[in-house]
Amino acid sequence: MWDQKITQTALGNMIGMEQSSVGKRLRGERGWSIANLLATARALNTTVAYLVGEVDDPECTPSDLNREPTD
């Protein structure tokens, strides 16, 4: 969100949520539903895995998650 210079208001508009609700979720005061995480990932052109810290690459695709690690 910050890398793409998207405000809380703009993200809220993209996912159908008020800015105050986005802010509370970003601060950890409220939890994210699966539907909201999916909508946010689509809006930010990334994956839920990136949003929840499972991967470090914001451009990681779901197929990347199934690959075996290479040494």
Side-chain angles (χ1 to χ4, degrees), residues 1-2 7-9 11-12 15 17-33 36-37 40:
M1 193 176 122
W2 293 271
T7 64
Q8 291 179 11
T9 301
L11 179 61
I15 64 172
M17 186 182 290
E18 296 290 327
Q19 175 277 326
S20 60
S21 294
V22 172
K24 287 176 184 177
R25 283 163 177 78
L26 292 174
R27 289 190 301 274
E29 296 171 9
R30 292 267 159 69
W32 292 84
S33 70
N36 289 148
L37 281 172
T40 301

